[in-house]
Amino acid sequence: MSKVLVAYSTHEGQTAKIADFIASVLRTHGLDVDTCDVKESADPPLIDYDGVIVGGSVHMGKHDKHVVDYVRGNRHALTGPPSAFFSVSMSAIHDAEDAEKYVQEFEEQTGWLPGKIALFGGGLPYRHLNFIMRRIIKRIVEDKPGNLGTDTSREYVYTEWDGVRRFAEDFAAGLEAAPQ
């Protein structure tokens, strides 16, 4: 049985939900999967895994520092097994070019070129934000195309779960086809 690590960094929790969903899909394909929030736990040795998926969210135009540091610290180990990266941002919903730019900057920052890349929409968890952050996020969202939610009394999820499933299934298929 192949073993896969899904490592991620999250701010409000949507990236963690996506990582857990990916892990669940991979398990249905008979894979042994561990998840790891790189902000909260020690790095498991990547030598123990047959494949690695890394995920990070974009805030204020940059991927989370913790996921950047994690990849930098494990860059050489990430070049061996099949690997993938998923980026979670609001740009993935309404501006794919912008979302791709964030991934390109991430690759330049870390020196890692993952085998597969996916761009997923995130969420607007207004109820989990303090008053000031709710106002800031609402103001940012009002200026974006795509009719994003501005009712700060509720939460919005823009993740396209079928796309997440396809990404995980493609990774599983690639892992099964990879020489061991």
Side-chain angles (χ1 to χ4, degrees):
M1 177 186 301
S2 293
K3 191 168 182 178
V4 177
L5 175 66
V6 181
Y8 64 90
S9 180
T10 191
H11 279 264
E12 289 87 24
Q14 191 64 21
T15 305
K17 290 175 186 173
I18 293 169
D20 289 341
F21 187 84
I22 289 169
S24 175
V25 171
L26 294 174
R27 288 182 187 112
T28 67
H29 285 268
L31 300 171
D32 181 13
V33 184
D34 292 331
T35 59
C36 170
D37 182 340
V38 300
K39 277 195 286 194
E40 297 181 2
S41 61
D43 299 349
L46 298 186
I47 192 91
D48 295 343
Y49 295 94
D50 302 303
V52 180
I53 298 174
V54 178
S57 57
V58 175
H59 288 270
M60 305 302 211
K62 297 190 182 304
H63 277 93
D64 180 78
K65 172 191 179 327
H66 296 92
V67 78
V68 170
D69 291 346
Y70 174 80
V71 169
R72 277 185 185 148
N74 289 287
R75 183 171 51 94
H76 295 293
L78 285 166
T79 60
S83 64
F85 178 66
F86 68 93
S87 175
V88 180
S89 69
M90 297 308 287
S91 293
I93 301 162
H94 60 78
D95 189 348
E97 188 176 306
D98 208 29
E100 290 169 1
K101 182 184 76 173
Y102 295 140
V103 172
Q104 184 178 17
E105 289 171 2
F106 177 81
E107 290 173 337
E108 290 169 4
Q109 282 181 301
T110 62
W112 177 48
L113 300 174
K116 293 186 184 303
I117 296 171
L119 308 172
F120 300 130
L124 293 171
Y126 287 117
R127 292 184 296 166
H128 287 60
L129 302 173
N130 66 39
F131 176 78
I132 294 170
M133 285 306 296
R134 275 195 303 270
R135 302 309 268 169
I136 291 170
I137 298 299
K138 179 180 177 180
R139 183 155 286 186
I140 291 169
V141 167
E142 287 172 335
D143 293 336
K144 300 288 184 192
N147 198 24
L148 300 174
T150 57
D151 178 354
T152 60
S153 69
R154 59 174 290 216
E155 301 199 5
Y156 300 87
V157 175
Y158 298 103
T159 304
E160 199 269 299
W161 294 107
D162 287 339
V164 178
R165 179 181 306 285
R166 284 189 302 275
F167 169 73
E169 289 173 344
D170 287 348
F171 186 83
L175 191 59
E176 291 168 6
Q180 297 293 325

